[in-house]
Structure formats: C-alpha cells, structure tokens
Amino acid sequence: MTEGTRNSIAPPDPGTLSLVATPIGNLGDLGDRAREVLRGAGLLLAEDTRHTLQLLRACGIERPPGSIESLHEHNERERVPGIVERLARGESVALASDAGTPLVSDPGALLVAAAVRAGVRVTVVPGPCAAVAALAVSALPTARFTFEGFLPPRAAARREALQRLAGDERTLVFYEAPHRLRETLEDCAAACGADRPAIVAREITKKFETIYRGTLGELAAAATSDADMTRGEAVIVVQGAAQERRADDVEADRVLRALLSELPVAQAARLAARITGRPRRELYDRAVGLRPAPV
Ligand code: SAM
C-alpha cells in the first residue's frame, strides 16, 4: 500500500462524471466501488439500457425509475451538450458500456472531452478491459504494446493496416468479431509472417474461456478446423516484430518500391518473391501497402 491509497466506497460527488468499467463475462468482477457508483449516480448513461438493466438486476442494484438513459455511437454527439449542462448544474453522472471499460472501442470519448472542456470533474472506476486481460494472459512481451481496436472490416484496408503494423516491435492487440477471426488471422500471418507467436483469447472470464496459443499460421489453421474458436468474443494478441525481421522487411520494401515504380502490384510481388525468397502472398500484401496513392 502506498501513501495516498484510499479504502473508501461512496456515492459519486455532485457534478462529477464517473466512467465505470463493468464485467466482460463474470459478474463477480463488478467491484464494490462500481456498484456504489452505478447505484448512486443521479443519472446513469448506458450504451444499451436493456443490457445495463439486466446487469443491475443480476447484481441486485436498484435505481429510481427513469434514471437510466442511453448514450451510444449514434446519439452521443447530440446528447453531449445536454449532459454537460446537467453536470454543470451539479448532477452526478455515471457512464457504463455494455461490457468492459467505457471509451475502449466503446462510446464516451466525445462526452469526456466536452466535460473536461467545461471544467467538469471526470473520474474513473477502473475494472475489466478485454484488451488488458488478454495481454496479461498472453505470455507475450508486455513492456510495450499497441492497442489497435478493431481492424478495418474490408479486406484491402485491413491488409494495408496490418502492413503498416508488421514492423512494429511492440506487442499488437486487436479486437475482432467472431465471423472475421479466421480471415484476420490469415491476414496477420501474411503480413507479419506465419511463424510469429500470437494468442487468441476467447470468452475471457466466461464459462468457455479458452486461450489459444501458437504461431499466427497455426492459429489461422485452427480457426478453420476448430469451430469453437470462432464462437464468442475474442482478442488477438501478436508478438511484435523482432529486430532481424525488421531488417528483412526494410530490404523487401526497398525491392518492392523499385519494382512498383515500373510494374503493377501482382507482378512486382512475384518478382520480389524471386529476388528475396519470401512468400509471394506476403510480398503482395506489403506491395499493396506501399503502392503509390492514385493521383
Ligand atoms: N470496452 C470493452 C473493453 O474494455 O474490453 C470492449 C468493447 S468492444 C465493442 C467488444 C470487443 O471486445 C469484442 O468484439 C471482443 O473483441 C472484445 N471482448 C469483449 N469481451 C470479451 C471477452 N469476454 N473475451 C474476449 N474478448 C472480449
């Protein structure tokens, strides 16, 4: 325990915006402070009010009728001024997402920025976050990591994004929807190399929690052969690029750039594969990322 540590559970102060993390799959992860704020805030903002009502009911938390309102990606912009006004008048407001930490691939960023601009006190009740949970359990380096949220759903944009990240030495953390998990793992393997260590953390804290460990190539193959893997929620964690690998990448990019100045992507990738001895598919994806923007 360090100086300044508190052991206090109290309803939120008037005029304060509290960001409350909620369980990602195990109701036992809702702490006493979170309960108190979810119970005591004058206004509770929920991503999906029905979902939050279920959580409150399951945890035995009662609130006055009509004191839960929605705040989601489609109404946040229009709702923010009114909420900040209520905060300025002294109302205490709590924000909770459906699961995990608000603002982490979830709504709330506009509200927090506006509240801070208006001089409102913003505080946080920290707790579950799927990205951090997956990183902790990954057994991959944790000293430096980059959280990338959801990759673009369209294949071309996703491959381009991965190409930009392939040389990053930090551990990479992605959220992914179950129906795109296989494709994304295949694209990660193509961009970062099939031999790169990674994990898929599925259904963390839930009944069917499973941590799949292996190389990106093995995980992509498992996503095809093991139907369970693509059921439920998942986080992908990929080890960062090794130094030697980056040197290889720099060389591959140099060759590709020279070829791309004269040839279309597919042809440049084919020749680069012959020159560097690296897989054509991987070089094709790199070439897509390097291709000069159309004028
Ligand atoms: N704000 C949340 C947080 O702090 O983790 C994340 C919300 S984001 C809309 C939902 C994504 O988080 C899912 O698609 C999945 O990638 C990840 N996720 C959430 N719960 C999870 C769980 N129990 N196990 C694995 N991944 C989870």
Side-chain angles (χ1 to χ4, degrees), residues 89-231:
R89 283 203 304 267
E91 201 167 340
S92 61
V93 177
L95 169 67
S97 304
D98 284 352
T101 300
L103 282 83
V104 178
S105 293
D106 266 336
L110 296 177
L111 175 60
V112 170
V116 168
R117 271 198 306 276
V120 166
R121 190 167 90 88
V122 182
T123 186
V124 64
V125 185
C129 174
V132 175
L135 178 72
V137 84
S138 70
L140 299 172
T142 54
R144 294 193 309 135
F145 64 92
T146 169
F147 171 64
E148 292 292 322
F150 291 93
L151 283 161
R154 284 187 47 247
R158 184 171 59 237
R159 288 174 190 164
E160 243 174 273
L162 283 167
Q163 217 46 76
R164 277 195 299 275
L165 290 166
D168 198 318
E169 288 167 27
R170 295 169 296 178
T171 298
L172 310 171
V173 184
F174 303 104
Y175 284 161
E176 194 46 285
H179 63 279
R180 271 196 291 268
L181 186 67
R182 183 185 53 75
E183 270 177 272
T184 296
L185 287 168
E186 284 170 1
D187 289 344
C188 284
C192 302
D195 55 348
R196 181 95 68 100
I199 68 147
V200 171
R202 171 182 161 258
E203 297 283 86
I204 304 167
T205 73
K206 297 188 192 178
K207 188 172 173 188
F208 296 110
E209 174 179 294
T210 318
I211 313 300
Y212 299 85
R213 302 176 193 275
T215 62
L216 281 170
E218 288 164 351
L219 292 171
T224 307
S225 61
D226 179 349
D228 283 345
M229 191 170 170
T230 50
R231 282 197 197 111

Side-chain angles (χ1 to χ4, degrees), residues 17 52 58:
L17 171 63
T52 300

